[in-house]
Amino acid sequence: MSRDLQIRVADPEDLVWIHELRHRVYAQELGQHAPRPDRQLHDALDGDNVYLVAARGPVRMGFVSLTPPWLGRYGLDKYLTRDELPLLSEGGVFEVRILTVEPRWRSTAVAPLLMYAALRWISSRGGRTVVAMGRTELLSMYLTVGLKPFGHTVRSGAVTFEVLTGEVAGLTQLATTRFRTALERFRSVVDWQLDMEWAPGPDGCEHGGASFTAIGADFRTLHRRDEVVAADVLDAWFPPAPGVRAALAEDPAWSARTSPPTGAEGLLSELAEARALPVETLVAGAGSSDLIFRAFGRWLTPESRVLLLDPGYGEYAYVTERVIGCRVDRFRLHRKDGWRIDVARLASVVGAGRYDLVVVVNPNNPTGRHAPAAELRTLIEAAPARTRWWIDEAYLGYVDLAESLAPLAAVDPRVVVCTSLSKMYALSGVRAAYLVAEPATAALLRRWTPPWAVGLPAQLAAVATLRDPAYYRACWLRTHALRRQLAADLAQVDDTVVVEEGVANFLNITLPYDGPSAARLVRECRRHDVYLRDLSPLSPQYEGRTVRVAVRDTAENARIVAAYEAAMETLRPSSLSRRAPGLPVHAAAGYAR
């Protein structure tokens, strides 16, 4: 195959061919549907689903249809009730349908490439589960790529289908291991025109920080740090307190070569005094991720059941699902509710007593919403005794430290509060965090803490940080003013875009259905050395169209606005020109019938 084999989202002209090919295959060739006089075959999802097309120049070779969960309906609804297939009522389920290839191309790699493209599109939109209908005579093909029968057979006309399903993470791992050689070969010959990368990133939780690809992860071009606006990570826009900078600068050679206090004893004492907590309730870590991995690894097993907020910080899903292998459920937050936690609904879900652990990030990243401490206290007090609560307060300083649940965690064995010093205190580079738990729980975690877990520069910086609360209160107050101005400036660029502020050091931009995808906006802004975060992989709740923007200082915020405006001007005409009349772009791109 030559380089001109395109994989792309269908354009308006493609749709005419798609409906004609569907008629030829499913009405005339297979007898699934009755022939129609207009020789066009449509269904109720047309206009809302997404088509991906394989083509070589003007020659169209095949297509596949995708139905995302935010539509609220699936092709399978025609054949099975939700009681028969309850999977369709879960979050993050994408349906892949109508994988169809022109007869002359059926012995080529067109079908596998379309299946892989569907998987990448689903993954890039936060998909967790794939569901499909595969013709029984092609069942071996679907089993080879990792799909599994769900236990239902469906008949439509003269055609019999097997209902198939698979987890996106497992399907992706299989594709990139079993078919790695083939994918590497195709990568060089396919003109990949989709808005996500050809291959997934390294195995691990996806975070921001792509800006380091421009700065240089090998640290040979660090001058680029002054040219790049790193608004894709939530590092503080302000420097650490003067005392922190002085502590790090006083004798950097000594602090680099010297082993720190083994258990960060001085830091824990400073934390106990600053937070008015017993020192025996504290555990230090090299960032919150260190504490998450350490604690969850001790508490949870593949038999454990965990409840996460959705959307929510991706590290929790990665550790519980991918590392430990827990059964994970999602408590969905909704845009129409302002992303706020419905405490009564959450109490009902938790009250059934099924969960070993409930994770609440408060304020939430990435929604930016805060749940009052009084509401959470009431919720926790009424929850079953067997359920542990992990409260992540990484951004609480932007609200009010008095809202912390740390005093509750210090006495209630069901509650643990984790607090990163990275984002609120401008210490992301040195990695320092702590958790609060009742003494027995804290003692167990300290026993499983390696010596020197927090380096000497980090301990020095953290102690100096805690000694200057007034400096940080002023920085947090200034952050709110910068965020409000940034939100106002972004909102003026395009009145069809929704800008949501939240309470922390970031805001979210949600693009209209007939606008570009979040991935395309992020990619275009990078041309201006401005890095934003596409939230699509975190959750299908974002529908592939929400971007997170970290608050920076006045000058960098101005660059963000300028890059965003230039990107929207570039993308707006092309995004509209590729849309069929009456076809929403949220329907613009799935696996079998």
Side-chain angles (χ1 to χ4, degrees), residues 4 25 38 95 143 182 235 265 274 277 407 432 534 584-585:
D4 61 357
V25 173
D38 61 1
E95 183 181 36
L143 297 179
D235 298 338
E265 290 83 359
L277 294 166
D534 174 14
V585 170

Side-chain angles (χ1 to χ4, degrees), residues 23-44:
H23 186 270
R24 275 194 282 124
V25 173
Y26 300 106
Q28 297 176 321
E29 179 182 345
L30 297 177
Q32 181 184 354
H33 300 283
R36 293 174 52 86
D38 61 1
R39 297 176 180 270
Q40 295 272 311
L41 192 59
H42 301 259
D43 65 33

Side-chain angles (χ1 to χ4, degrees), residues 309 311-313 333 361-370 395 504 506 542:
L309 301 186
Y313 180 47
L333 309 175
V361 181
N362 191 42
N364 184 285
N365 172 25
T367 69
R369 302 301 182 188
H370 173 255
Y395 302 92
F506 58 91
Y542 285 122

Side-chain angles (χ1 to χ4, degrees), residues 51-258:
Y51 287 107
L52 304 183
V53 170
R56 180 178 290 132
V59 179
R60 299 173 178 90
M61 307 161 78
F63 71 87
V64 66
S65 172
L66 302 163
T67 308
W70 49 85
L71 297 186
R73 56 200 177 97
Y74 298 94
L76 270 163
D77 286 324
K78 294 186 298 183
Y79 306 103
L80 297 170
T81 67
R82 294 297 174 94
D83 288 337
E84 293 172 311
L85 195 58
L87 174 67
L88 296 183
S89 297
E90 298 180 7
V93 179
F94 286 70
E95 183 181 36
V96 185
R97 309 173 60 233
I98 329 175
L99 174 62
T100 309
V101 179
E102 289 276 10
R104 64 180 294 199
W105 303 108
R106 290 178 186 170
S107 61
T108 71
V110 169
L113 283 171
L114 285 168
M115 294 170 75
Y116 179 71
L119 179 61
R120 294 294 299 125
W121 194 94
I122 291 168
S123 179
S124 74
R125 267 65 178 178
R128 303 185 186 103
T129 307
V130 168
V131 66
M133 288 168 54
R135 283 167 45 204
T136 53
E137 60 267 34
L138 299 177
L139 186 59
S140 61
M141 178 181 73
Y142 296 113
L143 297 179
T144 299
V145 300
L147 291 172
K148 298 178 181 178
F150 196 78
H152 287 288
T153 299
V154 170
R155 188 159 184 88
S156 178
V159 184
T160 303
F161 298 96
E162 190 80 35
V163 179
L164 305 162
T165 187
E167 295 303 310
V168 171
L171 295 172
T172 300
Q173 183 178 25
L174 181 64
T176 54
T177 53
R178 180 183 294 179
F179 306 110
R180 181 180 58 189
T181 302
L183 288 174
E184 289 174 352
R185 184 173 72 252
F186 288 129
R187 186 174 194 165
S188 63
V189 300
V190 171
D191 181 10
W192 185 259
Q193 297 187 6
L194 303 181
D195 63 6
M196 76 293 300
E197 298 299 325
W198 166 266
D203 186 37
C205 178
E206 181 173 338
H207 292 284
S211 46
F212 245 112
T213 62
I215 297 170
D218 60 1
F219 310 126
R220 296 180 186 275
T221 54
L222 288 179
H223 66 277
R224 287 277 285 145
R225 69 185 183 275
D226 298 321
E227 302 167 4
V228 169
V229 179
D232 59 332
V233 286
L234 300 182
D235 298 338
W237 61 269
F238 49 86
V244 177
R245 285 171 273 167
L248 294 175
E250 182 178 354
D251 193 344
W254 173 79
S255 62
R257 72 172 184 261
T258 301

